[in-house]
Amino acid sequence: MKNKHKQFAVIGLGRFGTSVASALYKLGYEVLAVDADEERVQKFSEEVTHVVQADTTDENSLKALGIRNFDVVVVAIGEDVQANVLTTLLLKDLGVKHIVAKARNELHGKMLTKIGADRVVYPERDMGQRVAHNLVSTNVLEYIELSPDLSIVEITSPRTLIGQSLAEANLRAKYEVNVVAIKRDEEVIVPPQPNEKIKDGDVLIFVGQTKGIQKLEELE
Ligand code: ADP
């Protein structure tokens, strides 16, 4: 069960930070939003539980926020890499339990992991990849890269596969992918059996080698 008493703090109210903070608040969690910019703080004051103006690269300001008491702190400072890294470092020093930090690129991400961020996210890269896969194939609904070699993809069943059972389609041998679920209207079939026939309008969820997934995306 979800713990609605979990408290979140989001630092940096740019596009990513505001979207994370609002989403958590709408899900029913307590959310503290922090930004150095007074104007941004004012604008966001109605959207979450508390909004505070503070420079989080200042240790005393962070302490004053009682940041240690939050279960998860999201560092959503984007452009200013130095402020992003320094904030993450201070949060770690102060003993914050779970730090999620936004990275601009791989190197920045590595640095955040070294410092002790528990989770590093790459919103721009992830969204870029999703849009790219969706542009290549209109069948692609969702794309998530798990590692450079491994991805999960959600595809509207290509015409060539309709009417075949999973065993007949033999996707594991052909593309090195596994169908982990089929979404059919309101129903989700997990895991689908080998004799399950692919129907028109089915949404197939695959996990597998990125190379194989790319070939699958090209099916009409
Ligand atoms: P995005 O790319 O998600 O839109 P931005 O980099 O534009 O993110 O926004 C980051 C936010 O972080 C800005 O509102 C900025 O005022 C805030 N910010 C930058 N440095 C600090 C800091 N030291 N302390 C608190 N907030 C900061």
Side-chain angles (χ1 to χ4, degrees), residues 191-212:
Q193 299 303 312
N195 63 357
E196 187 68 51
K197 273 201 179 358
I198 301 168
K199 293 191 177 162
D200 193 6
D202 278 358
V203 171
L204 311 173
I205 301 170
F206 297 98
V207 59
Q209 297 292 323
T210 305
K211 262 189 283 173

Side-chain angles (χ1 to χ4, degrees), residues 12 24 29-30 66 106 108 121 123 127 135 203 217:
L24 287 169
Y29 294 99
E30 275 194 43
E106 298 285 335
H108 182 194
V121 293
M127 186 46 76
L135 290 173
V203 171
E217 288 176 359

